[in-house]
Amino acid sequence: MITLLGLGLAAPTSNTTETPEPVTSISIADFSRDKTLFDSGAAFGRNEATVPIGGTATAGETVQVRVLTEGGPATAWSDLTMADGNGDWTGSVSAARSAGWSRIEVRNKSEPVTRATTANRFGVGHVVALWGQSEIVRIRSTAYNNLTPEPLLADDAVQAIWFDGAPVVKHLTDADPHTAALAAMANVFLAERPDDKVALVFQAVSGTGFRALVDDSDTSRNWSEDAAVHTFATADGQHVGLPSVSWFASPGSLAEHYEEALLPLFAGKTTSGADVTFPAQISFGSGGSYQADHWFGELYDPAQTKWVAFGPHRFDIDADMQSATVLAGGAIQNNLQNKEQARVSWRALMDNPHADGIFLPLGLEPTTYQNGVSDGSGGWTDQSHPSSDTDDGAPMFARLVAHAILQSSGLTNWSVPVFDMAEWEPSGAYVDVWSSAGPVTTTRSLRGEPELDNSQPHWTDVFGWQINGLPAHRAELENGRVRIYPNAGNFVSTDVIRFGEGGATGMAKFPEDHIAGTYKNLPVVDLGLAGVDGIPVRPLPDASMLANTLTPPAGGFSTGPTGPFFYDPATLGAGVSGLFAQMDLAPVVSSSGSKNLLTTTGNYLRLEILPNGKVRLRVRDSGGVVHVDNVQSGAVLADNVQADIRFGVDLPAGFARVWVNDALVIDESFSSATPTLPSNRALLLLASNTGAYQVEGAVSRLAIWKTATSDGSLPAATPYKDFIGPAAVVNADPWRNGTAAT
């Protein structure tokens, strides 16, 4: 508390006029620390902060206030408030975003020379919180700082706050930038917003997730420590304006349940809009739940704060891969599949109407940096974290995070690049895909570095593309577009291309892809932004934009809500121990309820399409033993998008598998004491025997074999039944039931 009285003078001489003794006093409470920063409300389009102040004065006096800013003029004196009967006063001043530090001065209106000024300074800029785990920790951790920091563009404009037994504040200068990654992040803010001050509040603990954060019984992360950092950062009545979050390493295991599990922590509501009262048990999926003793509403006022939501970042491989989510041996790589599903679910959370007003527009997804380091023996290690020994590692990750915050909050004026245009060459020779954000290129191309050689089939110019669930072998830059060629022959009407599946890296060979720096082959758009070659093009573009437009061959047919479906007039017969089915179709996925692709009477087999794009499988043998009990894939089907779905079950060999566009999406092993299917049950396609659960869409082929292959290839034998159209042939078939095909 600073108290000053009116100026007292020495006893007057005969040559001076007597000055009366001051009759009033005034004081102002100082800020908790020098150079405390207030958020200017950029998330709401504002450019000023409300700074609360208080102090004491002679009771009944009118307190006046002004702001003194270094390098600028003082504001005009203005009436603030009146001291109450106890001599206390409170109020607030509005201060605009400024490059200079400021002090607040107050005076008594009746006796203007009676003044007080804060000793500590304050600033108005951007208060940013960085939530997450180890990849965020490593931006400021000296334990992983193996690089010389780049020169800082300005001193003392960026400060960092974190918890290290107690809250710590660091004012960054060129002489002491703390770490290379923190200097890189600071320089993005300083280059893109040279007159703005930034406070970075690190709310990050390695190896933790949201559920540990909010559960007081889980001591791997303590809410009290994060709350302490927040309290320190807002000790003078300021707000965190821009909390940012891309938290997917540990929480990524939530997969398709990410939205359902985490929306309550942000919105205080379930996905259906029901209010959640904390502490609460949060339920998600089929039987999943966790204890939430806290939620972010305890820290952030939605009238002052909006979340910057970006990510996920890249997740690298640690073994050879068949595709983005399938290991070389054919098993699902659950971690990468989960990350893809979490990415989709995160976007659904952004679009949930009960999240309205909580989030800023979805930011970029940082993928064009290096994870891991050489192990010194020809291998690669620590691939879960941004590299500590190259500027393309932790510093580049930090720059991308800074750009995500600036763009999402509207502090810079550019759009996140997405693939939003595609053109299938009519003969099927190639597909061109491009972005309205600007010409597509790669980091490798922008740097003029040599292309990768041909020692790996997937080492193409542009990584991340898959054709029918397998890595593309030719994806090349062509006049600002990506041109994708078939892996063999020409594209046909049933081919499907996708970008950014799994961990969004395009990697397939370990450790060769790490050593070759394949992160440089991901597509970017050069927007001329500070510290980066380009901004990565967002993974998983709209499937409808990539939809195949090639003309299907003669044949094929369409089904509607009441048929047709196909019911074998004969039963399976004795001794059938395996089945294989190919279903090449573009189904309606978004309608409510499950739809039967293949089943038997009595539901001994049942392969379904779910409305969330997943497929679900049930297998029971003739002895009544259920070997596969409604196992689901990830989200693999899109509405009205052609998919080649293959299903094989072999009871003696003990497997049941489902492939979608050549990617293995369900892989179940078992042992059957009765390794046959029931002889008295009949096969059904596209619906139940009553016409319920009807699949709608365009069908190119439905084929069934009474034998199975283990790798998804079509059996060599002639199919037991084969529907390929045209509609007139299908409608005349004795299996056909329900409304006629068109």
Side-chain angles (χ1 to χ4, degrees):
M1 186 77 72
I2 299 168
T3 306
L4 295 177
L5 303 177
L7 298 175
L9 303 176
T13 67
S14 58
N15 295 324
T16 62
T17 302
E18 182 175 349
T19 301
E21 290 293 324
V23 296
T24 65
S25 64
I26 194 168
S27 72
I28 184 171
D30 209 1
F31 297 112
S32 63
R33 60 184 182 275
D34 193 28
K35 301 177 182 177
T36 190
L37 197 66
F38 287 80
D39 187 80
S40 61
F44 299 86
R46 300 193 290 259
N47 189 33
E48 62 181 20
T50 299
V51 182
I53 55 175
T56 64
T58 301
E61 282 293 321
T62 296
V63 176
Q64 293 187 313
V65 64
R66 68 175 178 175
V67 178
L68 310 173
T69 300
E70 298 169 357
T75 62
W77 287 104
S78 62
D79 292 352
L80 178 68
T81 188
M82 181 178 291
D84 65 18
N86 295 320
D88 297 319
W89 62 268
T90 59
S92 62
V93 296
S94 293
R97 200 182 297 154
S98 169
W101 295 106
S102 302
R103 289 183 170 88
I104 295 177
E105 187 175 28
V106 291
R107 71 182 184 184
N108 286 328
K109 186 174 185 178
S110 69
E111 196 170 35
V113 295
T114 306
R115 304 181 182 187
T117 307
T118 58
N120 289 335
R121 292 164 289 178
F122 76 96
V124 177
H126 313 290
V127 183
V128 177
L130 302 166
W131 285 91
Q133 54 185 103
S134 53
E135 68 278 359
I136 298 296
V137 170
R138 290 195 180 197
I139 294 174
R140 60 90 179 164
S141 173
T142 56
Y144 299 95
N145 183 43
N146 298 327
L147 298 168
T148 300
E150 62 191 61
L152 210 61
L153 295 179
D155 282 350
D156 211 16
V158 177
Q159 56 186 264
I161 300 169
W162 65 85
F163 191 86
D164 188 9
V168 174
V169 61
K170 184 83 171 182
H171 295 269
L172 304 186
T173 64
D174 192 41
D176 183 14
H178 193 64
T179 67
L182 194 51
M185 174 174 268
N187 273 344
V188 168
F189 287 110
L190 294 170
E192 299 291 340
R193 303 290 304 185
D195 295 327
D196 292 0
K197 299 184 182 300
V198 180
L200 302 170
V201 186
F202 282 84
Q203 309 268 191
V205 178
S206 297
T208 60
F210 291 94
R211 288 168 285 181
L213 169 68
V214 298
D215 183 353
D216 286 340
S217 69
D218 189 335
T219 58
S220 64
R221 182 159 186 175
N222 296 315
W223 176 271
S224 60
E225 294 179 0
D226 278 291
V229 175
H230 173 81
T231 298
F232 179 82
T234 58
D236 295 298
Q238 62 266 65
H239 301 277
V240 174
L242 298 168
S244 66
V245 61
S246 170
W247 199 346
F248 292 92
S250 174
S253 62
L254 290 165
E256 70 269 29
H257 304 303
Y258 200 96
E259 174 194 14
E260 185 180 11
L262 298 182
L263 179 64
L265 301 186
F266 293 98
K269 294 180 181 294
T270 67
T271 54
S272 62
D275 290 332
V276 178
T277 302
F278 295 88
Q281 191 75 16
I282 306 297
S283 299
F284 60 90
S286 179
S289 67
Y290 66 95
Q291 177 63 28
D293 297 305
H294 306 279
W295 71 300
F296 290 117
E298 295 177 35
L299 305 180
Y300 301 134
D301 178 357
Q304 305 291 339
T305 300
K306 286 190 178 183
W307 284 86
V308 171
F310 64 102
H313 56 76
R314 62 183 291 121
F315 288 93
D316 289 19
I317 63 172
D318 59 5
D320 287 351
M321 304 293 293
Q322 172 181 310
S323 70
T325 56
V326 180
L327 291 162
I332 298 294
Q333 213 285 9
N334 290 311
N335 179 54
L336 297 180
Q337 185 182 71
N338 287 344
K339 296 303 188 287
E340 179 181 329
Q341 293 170 359
R343 174 178 268 110
V344 173
S345 189
W346 181 228
R347 295 178 187 178
L349 191 156
M350 298 293 100
D351 293 335
N352 190 294
H354 306 296
D356 186 45
I358 296 172
F359 295 97
L360 290 162
L362 183 64
L364 66 87
E365 302 189 16
T367 56
T368 48
Y369 65 93
Q370 180 174 289
N371 273 332
V373 295
S374 169
D375 65 2
S377 304
W380 208 258
T381 187
D382 200 28
Q383 58 269 11
S384 297
H385 298 107
S387 303
S388 58
D389 60 358
T390 172
D391 186 67
D392 278 355
M396 185 60 69
F397 173 74
R399 293 185 190 105
L400 290 169
V401 171
H403 281 300
I405 294 166
L406 288 166
Q407 188 275 334
S408 178
S409 61
L411 290 167
T412 47
N413 185 25
W414 49 272
S415 298
V416 176
V418 298
F419 286 118
D420 51 10
M421 290 176 282
E423 183 177 85
W424 292 72
E425 195 277 330
S427 73
Y430 57 82
V431 182
D432 279 345
V433 186
W434 65 101
S435 174
S436 60
V440 177
T441 182
T442 65
T443 301
R444 191 178 299 277
S445 178
L446 286 168
R447 293 179 181 178
E449 296 182 3
E451 297 178 359
L452 298 179
D453 60 33
N454 296 321
S455 58
Q456 299 295 331
H458 68 285
W459 278 9
T460 184
D461 291 350
V462 186
F463 266 46
W465 291 97
Q466 296 205 143
I467 302 170
N468 298 330
L470 295 173
H473 295 173
R474 284 187 67 193
E476 301 174 358
L477 295 173
E478 185 71 29
N479 296 322
R481 302 181 177 191
V482 180
R483 179 163 291 179
I484 303 121
Y485 293 88
N487 287 350
N490 277 7
F491 284 118
V492 296
S493 63
T494 57
D495 286 325
V496 176
I497 62 171
R498 293 284 186 271
F499 170 73
E501 295 177 298
T505 66
M507 291 176 141
K509 192 70 175 173
F510 180 85
E512 287 84 348
D513 282 354
H514 293 275
I515 295 168
T518 56
Y519 65 91
K520 300 177 190 177
N521 290 63
L522 287 171
V524 301
V525 174
D526 181 7
L527 298 171
L529 302 176
V532 297
D533 297 282
I535 294 296
V537 182
R538 180 176 285 157
L540 298 183
D542 187 343
S544 64
M545 183 277 301
L546 295 175
N548 192 319
T549 59
L550 299 178
T551 303
F557 57 95
S558 295
T559 66
T562 57
F565 65 95
F566 304 98
Y567 189 170
D568 188 353
T571 59
L572 278 168
V576 177
S577 60
L579 282 175
F580 192 91
Q582 181 192 25
M583 292 151 284
D584 195 349
L585 72 170
V588 174
V589 174
S590 59
S591 59
S592 61
S594 64
K595 309 295 181 184
N596 282 357
L597 281 167
L598 177 149
T599 187
T600 66
T601 51
N603 284 328
Y604 280 78
L605 295 177
R606 189 175 187 181
L607 180 62
E608 307 167 87
I609 298 174
L610 301 182
N612 54 9
K614 301 177 184 181
V615 292
R616 182 167 64 188
L617 178 64
R618 172 184 170 86
V619 174
R620 180 165 54 135
D621 66 22
S622 59
V625 177
V626 176
H627 298 295
V628 182
D629 190 9
N630 291 327
V631 171
Q632 297 182 27
S633 72
V636 292
L637 301 177
D639 201 32
N640 290 306
V641 174
Q642 196 79 23
D644 183 1
I645 305 168
R646 301 185 184 191
F647 161 61
V649 58
D650 189 319
L651 293 170
F655 71 79
R657 294 172 181 158
V658 179
W659 298 262
V660 175
N661 298 325
D662 295 325
L664 184 63
V665 299
I666 294 177
D667 184 9
E668 295 294 306
S669 300
F670 51 84
S671 176
S672 177
T674 313
T676 58
L677 293 166
S679 60
N680 61 345
R681 301 295 176 174
L683 286 167
L684 289 140
L685 296 169
L686 304 188
S688 72
N689 60 342
T690 64
Y693 311 111
Q694 173 73 49
V695 173
E696 301 175 56
V699 179
S700 298
R701 187 185 193 191
L702 302 174
I704 299 176
W705 291 259
K706 289 187 178 181
T707 185
T709 65
S710 61
D711 61 0
S713 60
L714 299 182
T718 301
Y720 170 66
K721 191 66 177 179
D722 201 354
F723 295 99
I724 58 174
V729 173
V730 168
N731 292 332
D733 194 282
W735 283 41
R736 198 267 290 181
N737 282 263
T739 304
T742 58

